[in-house]
Amino acid sequence: MPPLRTALLQSSGVLGHPAENLKRLDEAAARAAQGGAGLLVTSEMFLTGYALDLQDIPALAEPADGPSAVAIGEIARRHGVAVLYGYPERAGEAVYNSAQLIGPDGTALANYRKTHLFGCFEQDAFTPGDTPVVQADLNGLRVGVMICYDVEFPENVRAHALAGTDLLLVPTAQMHPFQFVAEQLVPVRAFENQMYVAYVNRTGPEGEFEFVGLSCLASPDGVTRTRAGRGEELVLGDVDPELLRVSRETNPYLRDRRPGLYASLV
């Protein structure tokens, strides 16, 4: 099985303008396809921007099968690239901080709602999701999804490891002064759980936040395979099933677990 080239779109887009962000996504998908990528991953809340006024979020929120999802399906199909994008999702009266994976044929493959909301802004704006492990199959890989703060909870990522996730997609809005998460924590999560982790951040100032960039693709051997800088950037990295197989054979973490000792933790 050949590697899955994965494109990380480190961008904050245009705050409050989904139509403009769809244009940017279309351009990025074209560049990703030209670079041989089969998957494009965007940042948290890429569709609308992150630092929105609370009163604007319900109006910008869309259902998982809404007009932007249809447009992104067309982008994915036109360029032959799967797309993972962050957006505010409306479901009845609730609004979720969500990420949806669209296949290269334009079909919706998975929709995830952020389970751990960070800070007062998110807790005031969104309803927390209650499904920790959301997965889909893509190019022979089991792909999982979570969002930003979720990856900082080791139990969350371990649940994905136990469910067989090969590649964990993590759109994020990581801000100053927490850049150590991108630099140190994410590669450790990949190593201790024997998976690839694609961590894709926003960048620059937005409202009261300063996003730090540093998007990365970390592999199960703990190596950062590609790393963005601090600005707008599209970077490419390969998710190699053979490296994943060899690493899992070599690393005993998951085999040597003793779950009976950990019951009190949950």
Side-chain angles (χ1 to χ4, degrees):
M1 187 165 54
L4 173 63
R5 181 152 292 179
T6 301
L8 315 182
L9 177 58
Q10 180 168 285
S11 173
S12 291
V14 180
L15 185 65
H17 291 278
E20 179 60 33
N21 294 328
L22 287 172
K23 291 180 183 177
R24 295 189 178 204
L25 182 63
D26 192 15
E27 294 167 358
R31 288 161 52 207
Q34 289 169 4
L39 171 63
L40 171 65
V41 185
T42 75
S43 57
E44 182 176 3
M45 294 280 285
F46 175 80
L47 182 63
T48 60
Y50 181 87
L52 298 162
D53 290 336
L54 287 177
Q55 63 268 24
D56 293 336
I57 294 175
L60 289 168
E62 297 184 17
D65 60 353
S68 292
V70 173
I72 293 169
E74 293 172 354
I75 290 170
R77 185 166 51 250
R78 183 164 59 253
H79 298 292
V81 176
V83 176
L84 186 283
Y85 70 99
Y87 74 110
E89 178 195 356
R90 173 173 289 286
E93 295 301 312
V95 176
Y96 298 93
N97 182 338
S98 295
Q100 182 156 220
L101 178 63
I102 305 292
D105 62 353
T107 302
L109 299 179
N111 188 69
Y112 172 78
R113 296 165 174 172
K114 190 173 185 178
T115 54
H116 296 75
L117 300 177
F118 178 78
C120 294
F121 169 70
E122 289 191 12
Q123 292 168 11
D124 289 343
F126 302 110
T127 297
D130 57 9
T131 303
V133 177
V134 171
Q135 299 170 309
D137 293 323
L138 180 68
N139 287 48
L141 295 168
R142 180 63 55 89
V143 176
V145 185
M146 61 176 55
I147 299 173
C148 196
Y149 194 39
D150 291 327
V151 81
E152 298 176 37
F153 291 82
E155 304 91 337
N156 250 21
V157 187
R158 181 52 55 85
H160 269 274
L162 297 177
T165 293
D166 300 313
L167 168 61
L168 184 62
L169 308 181
V170 189
T172 189
Q174 185 58 258
M175 57 199 70
H176 178 81
F178 305 112
Q179 53 266 27
F180 70 89
V181 173
E183 294 172 331
Q184 300 173 38
L185 186 147
V186 169
V188 169
R189 287 285 180 269
F191 180 72
E192 68 190 4
N193 290 289
Q194 288 302 288
M195 63 176 63
Y196 280 87
V197 180
Y199 186 80
V200 186
N201 201 8
R202 306 178 69 78
T203 182
E206 186 179 318
E208 64 182 287
F209 308 110
E210 176 74 30
F211 299 115
V212 300
L214 301 174
S215 299
C216 66
L217 177 67
S219 56
D221 55 3
V223 174
T224 299
R225 297 290 161 175
T226 191
R227 168 81 70 188
R230 297 294 186 119
E232 299 268 337
E233 194 171 352
L234 181 75
V235 296
L236 302 173
D238 288 338
V239 175
D240 185 354
E242 179 61 14
L243 186 152
L244 188 63
R245 182 189 67 79
V246 171
S247 184
R248 285 173 170 173
E249 286 183 355
T250 304
N251 187 307
Y253 277 161
L254 298 181
R255 294 193 301 273
D256 289 350
R257 293 172 62 250
R258 297 181 61 194
L261 300 179
Y262 318 140
S264 63
L265 297 178
V266 294

